[in-house]
Amino acid sequence: MRLDRFLSNSLRMTRSVACAIIKEKRVKVNGVIIRKKDFKIDEIKDVIEFDDKRVEYRCFVYYILNKPKGVVSARIDNIDKTVVDLIDTDYKISPIGRLDKDTTGLLLLSNDGSLIHALTSPLNDIKKIYLVECDRDLSEEEMFLFENGIEIKDGDDQLFRTKKANIKKIKDYIYEVEISEGKFHQVKRMFNYFNSSVINLRRLKFANIKLDASLNEGEYRELTDAEVILLKRQCNLLDKK
Ligand code: URA
């Protein structure tokens, strides 16, 4: 890996700041000051120091993306642009769960396999909140059924009963829905069950992470350390406090 990339990844600094500290002779590789930003290092074996302090390689990265329409929730795709293509990173990240190509909103991505597994395991009942625009309003009775479980098909065309959900009418044709499952087209199929079609779907919350108002569609940022700790606690990868 290039030295400037190692520094920007490990110290969460921009590439230009990484280049600047190299130029200022503040970076050593195996005890020798290096002034070339594209100097190749082995991030596992080499000892890198910045101002004489060892810099450890950061193994895991975590991103929050405001997914736009038209990109698929995959690592690679032969036809469409993927959510991973939108993120400039040196790490081999994957989306945590999926959003349909025409769904927008909060999607987390990481290379931390244990966290990805925990957040997508049905055993952990991770809650997701969606803003739904549909073409037919649901009656009070239909909303009651929506919350208490209906039979719809999953991605393998097998009937299943949805778990308890919450639905709140925001205004005509607009609902906020909370579910703790992530079956194929689940929200769309739940509305279809009541002869209502979903026109727009946006995820607002995943686990305890909310979509930032500051992120426009297509924009992303790294999660803060505090957010990563919250996520890990939520799926019992760290002790709850
Ligand atoms: N439910 C859907 O129908 N689609 C999504 O993208 C997410 C949840």
Side-chain angles (χ1 to χ4, degrees), residues 44-226:
I44 310 297
K45 287 195 198 137
D46 288 335
V47 175
I48 318 296
E49 289 166 285
F50 166 45
D51 283 349
D52 296 319
K53 274 194 220 93
R54 174 123 193 216
V55 180
E56 297 293 344
Y57 181 57
R58 194 154 61 102
C59 295
F60 296 123
V61 287
Y62 308 87
Y63 296 95
I64 174 174
L65 166 73
N66 185 351
K67 179 189 171 297
K69 285 190 184 194
V71 290
V72 292
S73 299
R75 277 192 48 71
I76 21 184
D77 191 273
N78 289 334
I79 300 165
D80 292 303
K81 200 168 186 176
T82 75
V83 288
V84 170
D85 294 332
L86 298 176
I87 295 183
D88 179 17
T89 181
D90 292 325
Y91 294 83
K92 200 170 166 210
I93 54 169
S94 301
I96 305 185
R98 281 166 183 274
L99 290 177
D100 296 337
K101 189 172 164 185
D102 59 355
T103 299
T104 60
L106 193 164
L107 186 69
L108 300 180
L109 300 101
S110 177
N111 60 341
D112 181 344
S114 320
L115 187 68
I116 296 176
H117 180 261
L119 287 171
T120 49
S121 164
L123 300 176
N124 282 328
D125 271 343
I126 297 299
K127 297 215 177 347
K128 296 115 190 164
I129 296 184
Y130 295 90
L131 189 70
V132 182
E133 183 189 351
C134 61
D135 67 354
R136 179 189 161 272
D137 272 329
L138 272 52
S139 66
E140 292 278 315
E141 194 189 332
E142 288 171 332
M143 284 170 66
F144 177 84
L145 293 174
F146 191 105
E147 291 196 321
N148 288 287
I150 50 177
E151 279 213 330
I152 57 170
K153 286 187 175 168
D154 65 14
D156 299 319
D157 266 356
Q158 298 296 309
L159 275 175
F160 76 102
R161 192 165 185 83
T162 57
K163 289 185 184 168
K164 283 237 178 233
N166 289 309
I167 181 164
K168 187 166 80 184
K169 184 166 178 174
I170 306 290
K171 57 183 183 179
D172 286 353
Y173 307 117
I174 307 282
Y175 294 83
E176 202 174 276
V177 167
E178 182 185 67
I179 59 172
S180 59
E181 297 158 289
K183 297 262 170 44
F184 185 63
H185 292 339
Q186 179 152 348
V187 174
K188 290 174 184 162
R189 288 183 176 182
M190 288 175 82
F191 275 79
N192 289 163
Y193 180 88
F194 300 105
N195 295 319
S196 179
S197 294
V198 171
I199 297 167
N200 276 307
L201 187 59
R202 177 145 55 106
R203 186 151 70 190
L204 303 177
K205 196 170 174 200
F206 181 91
N208 38 28
I209 306 293
K210 279 192 190 156
L211 184 63
D212 297 31
S214 64
L215 286 180
N216 293 319
E217 283 180 18
E219 290 183 344
Y220 64 92
R221 66 168 173 82
E222 284 200 47
L223 292 181
T224 63
D225 289 342

